[in-house]
Amino acid sequence: MKYQDQLKRTLEFENTPTRIVSLVPSQTELLVDLGLESLIVGVTKFCIHPASLRKNKTVVGGTKQVHFDKIKNLNPDIILCNKEENTKEMILELEKIAPVHLSDIYNLDDALKLIDLYGKLFSVEKKSEALVSSLENKYKDFRHYIKDQEKLKVAYFIWKNPWMVAANTTFIDAMLRLNSFDNYFGNLERYPEVDLNTIKEDLDVILLSSEPYPFKSADIKELRSRFLRTKVVLVDGEFFSWYGSRLDYAFAYFKTLHQDLSD
């Protein structure tokens, strides 16, 4: 059986893979929600959903650095990676152990296609189709909701010291646009460092992500004192950056966020 990943690389298997190493937290959660938890043999230390997973599976490292010997000893049939979250050097080394399936996610459509790919690859098509259908229906409902919301200019911060934001050509930017937000740094690419002194008074909202930098109430206070006319809000970064089954809860969260911003 031959399958293509999202970089159009062809992977070939004699049988459906039954020993999975997942090196991307959002994809690990997706596997579980597709009923594949029993097939997972290795995860990262950041695979926190469900919470019990790291106790029951072998933790092989993080998303940027892994213990290749641990992964090899797990004898995986397949290793799941992501072009952005895992390094090229890692992937080249992992390919010596087992076939590596790469995701490449920039928007909701890419995320839906990945769910479909996993359904076919792991022979759980009915579950993947049901999840895709649920997401499409919730997105349709959200589009109806969002058309009446005020379009706000926002900056989405992911790091401090140095200050860094999510800019264009990122999944976060796609989620901002889905929310009818105008990304203040949309003219930049990826995750640039920015100078707070360049921000003008026309910025409506600063969104501080809960990950990867753990912004706290003190950071909110600091920015509010600096940008008096701008709302500063701490948001759950998983709903803006996790592109697996967590999206099934994202649209309800986005509605709540818009309600908070309108108060």
Side-chain angles (χ1 to χ4, degrees), residues 52-68:
S52 60
L53 199 64
R54 289 175 297 174
K55 296 179 182 178
N56 302 325
K57 308 296 179 179
T58 300
V59 176
V60 298
T63 55
K64 306 299 184 186
Q65 292 183 319
V66 294
H67 300 285
F68 296 106

Side-chain angles (χ1 to χ4, degrees), residues 134-188:
S134 174
L135 288 172
E136 288 176 338
N137 288 334
K138 289 177 180 178
Y139 175 45
K140 182 179 179 180
D141 173 73
F142 184 71
R143 280 188 303 177
H144 179 74
Y145 169 84
I146 203 68
K147 66 182 178 65
D148 297 323
Q149 302 300 310
E150 180 185 2
K151 192 174 184 68
L152 300 173
K153 185 170 291 188
V154 308
Y156 188 101
F157 281 84
I158 62 166
W159 204 260
K160 179 182 179 180
N161 298 325
W163 293 100
M164 297 175 67
V165 297
N168 198 9
T169 61
T170 62
F171 184 72
I172 293 173
D173 180 66
M175 291 298 100
L176 293 175
R177 286 185 279 110
L178 182 150
N179 275 277
S180 195
F181 291 143
D182 181 11
N183 191 342
Y184 189 85
F185 293 102
N187 61 317
L188 303 178

Side-chain angles (χ1 to χ4, degrees), residues 5-202:
D5 65 14
Q6 290 188 296
L7 268 66
K8 306 300 182 185
R9 301 155 68 251
T10 299
L11 285 72
E12 190 168 357
F13 303 93
E14 290 186 10
N15 302 294
T16 300
T18 58
R19 295 184 62 81
I20 307 168
V21 169
S22 178
L23 302 181
V24 186
S26 58
Q27 293 174 189
T28 302
E29 181 181 38
L30 172 58
L31 293 175
V32 173
D33 288 335
L34 290 176
L36 298 166
E37 183 172 354
S38 64
L39 306 186
I40 302 171
V41 294
V43 297
T44 74
K45 61 184 178 181
F46 302 116
C47 294
I48 58 175
H49 298 299
S52 60
L53 199 64
R54 289 175 297 174
K55 296 179 182 178
N56 302 325
K57 308 296 179 179
T58 300
V59 176
V60 298
T63 55
K64 306 299 184 186
Q65 292 183 319
V66 294
H67 300 285
F68 296 106
D69 55 336
K70 282 189 177 183
I71 294 176
K72 187 175 182 178
N73 289 337
L74 291 172
N75 193 30
D77 296 325
I78 190 170
I79 303 170
L80 304 181
C81 293
N82 173 265
K83 180 184 175 183
E84 177 178 296
E85 292 199 47
N86 309 121
T87 68
K88 182 178 180 180
E89 293 74 20
M90 271 179 57
I91 291 164
L92 291 173
E93 194 66 28
L94 290 167
E95 287 180 322
K96 298 175 184 177
I97 300 173
V100 175
H101 188 283
L102 275 168
S103 63
D104 192 23
I105 310 289
Y106 290 94
N107 51 49
L108 180 61
D109 187 53
D110 291 336
L112 296 177
K113 287 178 180 176
L114 180 66
I115 296 170
D116 180 67
L117 284 172
Y118 279 9
K120 293 180 172 66
L121 179 58
F122 299 113
S123 299
V124 287
E125 289 95 335
K126 287 186 178 180
K127 289 185 178 180
S128 65
E129 289 168 4
L131 178 56
V132 168
S133 178
S134 174
L135 288 172
E136 288 176 338
N137 288 334
K138 289 177 180 178
Y139 175 45
K140 182 179 179 180
D141 173 73
F142 184 71
R143 280 188 303 177
H144 179 74
Y145 169 84
I146 203 68
K147 66 182 178 65
D148 297 323
Q149 302 300 310
E150 180 185 2
K151 192 174 184 68
L152 300 173
K153 185 170 291 188
V154 308
Y156 188 101
F157 281 84
I158 62 166
W159 204 260
K160 179 182 179 180
N161 298 325
W163 293 100
M164 297 175 67
V165 297
N168 198 9
T169 61
T170 62
F171 184 72
I172 293 173
D173 180 66
M175 291 298 100
L176 293 175
R177 286 185 279 110
L178 182 150
N179 275 277
S180 195
F181 291 143
D182 181 11
N183 191 342
Y184 189 85
F185 293 102
N187 61 317
L188 303 178
E189 297 288 320
R190 308 301 292 160
Y191 305 103
E193 295 181 20
V194 297
D195 183 350
L196 294 184
N197 292 319
T198 65
I199 296 177
K200 301 177 181 178
E201 291 187 356
D202 60 340

